[in-house]
Amino acid sequence: QVQLVESGGGLVQTGGSLRLSCAASGGISSFKVMGWYRQAPGKQRELVAAITSGGSTNYADSVKGRFTISRDNAKNTVFLQMDSLKPEDTAVYYCHVMTWSFYNFWGQGTQLTVSS
């Protein structure tokens, strides 16, 4: 029922910036948590950043100070502003939401490639 559509991935040089967006649609009007995960080939999917409905945020240590997560609750949209990008940020980035009843939904993923 819930659909998450990511956009904003692409190719960027080291030190560059990019913003990911994830628009949620369907029968659920709000989410307890919205966030971003990423997965590189052969690696575990890892949490990048998450934000609660009240605006509390958590970041992976590797992205603190470089990435900023935000959400527009009225539009059920979550953003990830990525600055000072590094090659190790290269991965498929997945939007994730958790409902108030702890159901999880995932987007299809968007590729970010950071070149040296």
Side-chain angles (χ1 to χ4, degrees), residues 58-73:
N58 278 327
Y59 296 93
D61 287 341
S62 60
V63 307
K64 285 181 179 177
R66 300 188 298 118
F67 291 10
T68 303
I69 190 169
S70 61
R71 64 189 283 176
D72 184 335
N73 289 327

Side-chain angles (χ1 to χ4, degrees), residues 6-30:
E6 304 103 329
S7 62
L11 176 64
V12 64
Q13 293 183 349
T14 297
S17 297
L18 216 59
R19 189 175 80 151
L20 304 182
S21 299
C22 174
S25 63
I28 299 177
S29 61
S30 66

Side-chain angles (χ1 to χ4, degrees), residues 16-96:
S17 297
L18 216 59
R19 189 175 80 151
L20 304 182
S21 299
C22 174
S25 63
I28 299 177
S29 61
S30 66
F31 302 96
K32 182 180 178 69
V33 183
M34 305 184 79
W36 293 91
Y37 288 71
R38 67 186 181 188
Q39 187 169 25
K43 302 294 183 181
Q44 289 267 44
R45 185 174 298 187
E46 64 173 346
L47 175 68
V48 178
I51 184 167
T52 69
S53 62
S56 298
T57 58
N58 278 327
Y59 296 93
D61 287 341
S62 60
V63 307
K64 285 181 179 177
R66 300 188 298 118
F67 291 10
T68 303
I69 190 169
S70 61
R71 64 189 283 176
D72 184 335
N73 289 327
K75 297 181 179 180
N76 273 343
T77 302
V78 62
F79 306 94
L80 186 67
Q81 177 66 44
M82 303 180 291
D83 299 319
S84 301
L85 284 163
K86 305 175 180 179
E88 49 262 48
D89 295 318
T90 296
V92 177
Y93 284 70
Y94 296 91
C95 181
H96 164 262

